[in-house]
Amino acid sequence: SNVEQVTLLARITTLLRSNHSHIRWRATRLFQLVVRHPSLLLNTSHIANCLAALVKIMESKCYIQDELNPSQRELICLKATVESVDFAMDRIRGKANLTREVLTPKISGIIGCLIGLIKILPNEVIPVLYKLILAHSNTFRPFGTKLENELLTILSNGVNVDRLSPMVLDSSLKCLALLSFN
């Protein structure tokens, strides 16, 4: 029923706002299940609240104290959050109402958070940023220089190329190429 759907989405939002990383991780996985269901996805206000809570988790970097040596629990929670945001954006994109009411208002915040997470989770974040550049090139323009600087830092002007995974290297170079056209 509609009441049960609203209750479920409200509880997921509450779980996403928890102070405990394992509860937030569970909530991100529940959110992925929810956005797979078409009727739950159409509940725009609650999906927007869940997405806002996911963006808050990314902004806080899951309360990681030491970015060079993050704890495994927070790192897993942060990875799950990035995956959930990516999955939700893929499910929302192409649906006019959802894109207009849920994704478009949050896209700048999502881009800024993802750029801030590049040093912690390059394998997860860079492919998502690549998709965002392709799909939202106008919205991405103000972030172009910041992303370029972060990518060049990761590549260390060619010094780090041998140490990066092929996927990160490929995604980084694709992003740099798209940024030059953007």
Side-chain angles (χ1 to χ4, degrees):
S1 74
N2 193 29
V3 173
E4 291 171 333
Q5 290 177 9
V6 169
T7 303
L8 174 66
L9 290 167
R11 286 187 179 169
I12 290 173
T13 304
T14 302
L15 293 173
L16 286 169
R17 293 181 178 143
S18 171
N19 291 331
H20 303 289
S21 57
H22 65 280
I23 293 174
R24 285 192 305 263
W25 176 82
R26 289 179 188 158
T28 60
R29 295 307 182 196
L30 282 171
F31 180 70
Q32 283 186 4
L33 289 173
V34 163
V35 295
R36 289 175 197 257
H37 198 279
S39 66
L40 288 171
L41 187 61
L42 295 176
N43 198 326
T44 56
S45 63
H46 288 287
I47 295 294
N49 290 340
C50 287
L51 197 59
L54 289 168
V55 171
K56 288 269 188 200
I57 293 171
M58 289 191 310
E59 280 176 357
S60 71
K61 296 181 181 177
C62 226
Y63 305 107
I64 292 175
Q65 302 298 325
D66 183 13
E67 289 184 15
L68 297 175
N69 192 17
S71 72
Q72 198 62 26
R73 179 179 280 179
E74 281 77 19
L75 199 59
I76 289 170
C77 180
L78 199 55
K79 284 180 186 179
T81 303
V82 171
E83 290 171 8
S84 294
V85 169
D86 182 34
F87 185 76
M89 287 189 302
D90 288 345
R91 298 287 294 179
I92 291 170
R93 206 173 283 121
K95 296 171 180 70
N97 271 355
L98 284 170
T99 302
R100 182 178 57 252
E101 294 176 22
V102 176
L103 191 56
T104 303
K106 305 266 186 276
I107 203 74
S108 293
I110 292 170
I111 292 169
C113 290
L114 289 172
I115 291 173
L117 295 175
I118 285 179
K119 290 178 185 171
I120 300 172
L121 299 170
N123 291 332
E124 290 79 11
V125 170
I126 294 173
V128 177
L129 286 168
Y130 176 71
K131 286 195 278 187
L132 285 170
I133 294 171
L134 284 175
H136 304 279
S137 58
N138 287 338
T139 307
F140 212 95
R141 277 199 186 109
F143 300 98
T145 305
K146 187 174 181 180
L147 176 61
E148 184 178 0
N149 291 337
E150 290 293 328
L151 291 174
L152 291 175
T153 301
I154 286 177
L155 295 172
S156 297
N157 295 324
V159 175
N160 253 357
V161 172
D162 297 336
R163 292 184 224 148
L164 295 173
S165 72
M167 187 183 84
V168 172
L169 181 61
D170 184 52
S171 296
S172 299
L173 294 176
K174 283 181 180 177
C175 283
L176 285 171
L178 278 177
L179 287 173
S180 67
F181 288 114
N182 199 8

